[in-house]
Amino acid sequence: MKIQTITVVITAQEEGRKIRSVMKGRLGFSSHAIGGLTRRETGILLNGRRAFSTAVLHAGDVLSVEIGDVKPPDSGIVPCAVPLPIIYEDDYLLVVSKPAGMVALASSFLPETPTVAGALAYQRGKAEVFHVVNRLDKGTTGLMTVAKSGYVHNLLRKLLHTPDFYREYRGICLGCPEPERGVIDLPIGRDETSTVRRCIRPDGAPSRSRYEVLRRSGPLSLLRLVPETGRTHQLRLHLSAVGCPLAGDWLYGTEDPELISRPALHSFLLRLRHPVTGEALELTAPLPADMTALLNR
């Protein structure tokens, strides 16, 4: 498997700094990662030659650092032949449009469920490594970001819930929240009576969700949803807590297959500052057919 590298030219402002300083500052490597790269024959190259993190830099020097994983982890990922549309891809990351009924990674709770990792392994082969960044629940559809190396995964995780990694959802709820635009600010913690459920509790983690009613359709409302924090089941639980659970949400509302067979939640918009190139990306995934049909009933 080919190892990716990132190459930068040392600026006048970086004159006299050590490689370690530039790797931690400009490139965002951890001390642990730098230690591992130092032990690789081609992990750190300065002007084409092997270098160590203590070497002093000069303006115009060319620093090349490996960012790819050395080998695929022994993850036991099982390839699965389930279609997984890829919305965007470059050398460092890809963005997929996850269908309903698929989870990010295998778990003991859902051992037979298709996974994003398994679908990618089927499409690309098990030799490639993929790191899921923002996970979606099994029933949630839409945009999900996947890194092609542990290094890029770490950079993306640092951007989560910042303006540089903005995510927006569409949800269809029962009823209509009042007021029609606002913030739900309720702490979320584990429900001690369940291995799956979360609940609103005073000692829970701070959790904030912004919402806006976009359209009413009979007893249903289409919402724009923006999670400002990233708690498990946050949007589902927050809407349920204000009396407007998502249509089809069997866990926090009422299961109703005649309406929709899953919680009506869709990851609609991703606005991302690329962690390596700095490029501004904006991607959307239109509402899936079952949510569109629900609105048009």
Side-chain angles (χ1 to χ4, degrees):
M1 183 176 67
K2 182 181 178 180
I3 300 296
Q4 288 182 314
T5 62
I6 185 170
T7 299
V8 296
V9 178
I10 302 305
T11 66
Q13 290 74 24
E14 292 166 332
E15 173 87 33
R17 291 170 60 180
K18 294 181 179 179
I19 287 179
R20 170 182 291 273
S21 174
V22 172
M23 288 181 67
K24 293 185 73 171
R26 199 204 313 187
L27 300 181
F29 283 92
S30 66
S31 296
H32 176 75
I34 293 172
L37 288 166
T38 300
R39 291 188 290 273
R40 293 191 206 172
E41 185 69 29
T42 57
I44 303 172
L45 300 179
L46 183 60
N47 300 321
R49 296 183 177 182
R50 184 180 183 183
F52 295 92
S53 62
T54 54
V56 176
L57 296 166
H58 303 281
D61 281 346
V62 178
L63 176 65
S64 296
V65 183
E66 291 182 350
I67 62 171
D69 299 323
V70 177
K71 60 180 179 179
D74 186 13
S75 59
I77 293 174
V78 179
C80 55
V82 178
L84 182 65
I86 295 175
I87 306 301
Y88 171 85
E89 182 174 11
D90 61 26
D91 290 341
Y92 307 103
L93 60 88
L94 51 84
V95 179
V96 302
S97 183
K98 187 186 86 64
M102 178 180 285
V103 294
L105 300 168
S107 74
S108 56
F109 292 108
L110 301 165
E112 304 301 323
T113 304
T115 67
V116 170
L120 288 172
Y122 180 83
Q123 290 183 19
R124 304 301 180 86
K126 294 184 68 173
E128 293 196 42
V129 181
F130 298 100
H131 304 261
V132 174
V133 181
N134 61 304
R135 300 186 184 187
L136 301 178
D137 292 342
K138 177 182 176 182
T140 303
T141 55
L143 299 175
M144 177 184 284
T145 309
V146 182
K148 292 186 176 182
S149 68
Y151 168 72
V152 173
H153 178 257
N154 185 52
L155 294 182
L156 286 168
R157 294 287 293 178
K158 291 177 180 178
L159 294 179
L160 274 174
H161 309 297
T162 73
D164 289 327
F165 199 138
Y166 174 86
R167 291 174 294 147
E168 189 174 298
Y169 291 73
R170 295 291 183 267
I172 302 174
C173 71
L174 305 180
C176 185
E178 293 293 343
E180 293 193 1
R181 175 185 297 178
V183 176
I184 305 172
D185 191 345
L186 295 170
I188 293 176
R190 288 187 174 274
D191 184 334
E192 295 176 357
T193 67
S194 170
T195 57
V196 178
R197 284 176 59 92
R198 300 299 192 268
C199 64
I200 304 299
R201 48 189 297 173
D203 61 345
S207 309
R208 286 172 55 89
S209 304
R210 286 192 282 130
Y211 72 89
E212 178 185 0
V213 178
L214 299 178
R215 172 184 167 189
R216 290 189 180 187
S217 182
L220 306 173
S221 298
L222 174 66
L223 305 179
R224 169 181 170 269
L225 298 164
V226 179
E228 294 186 355
T229 52
R231 314 304 174 201
T232 299
H233 298 171
Q234 177 176 313
L235 295 175
R236 297 168 63 185
L237 180 53
H238 272 173
L239 289 171
S240 177
V242 298
C244 297
L246 289 171
D249 194 341
W250 57 273
L251 191 59
Y252 299 106
T254 302
E255 185 174 14
D256 189 350
E258 291 188 2
L259 277 179
I260 189 169
S261 62
R262 64 179 180 93
L265 186 63
H266 176 69
S267 177
F268 172 76
L269 169 69
L270 171 65
R271 193 176 296 128
L272 174 69
R273 179 179 61 79
H274 197 292
V276 178
T277 67
E279 178 185 1
L281 303 176
E282 182 166 315
L283 306 167
T284 58
L287 279 183
D290 58 352
M291 288 180 65
T292 301
L294 181 60
L295 286 173
N296 292 334
R297 284 177 58 130

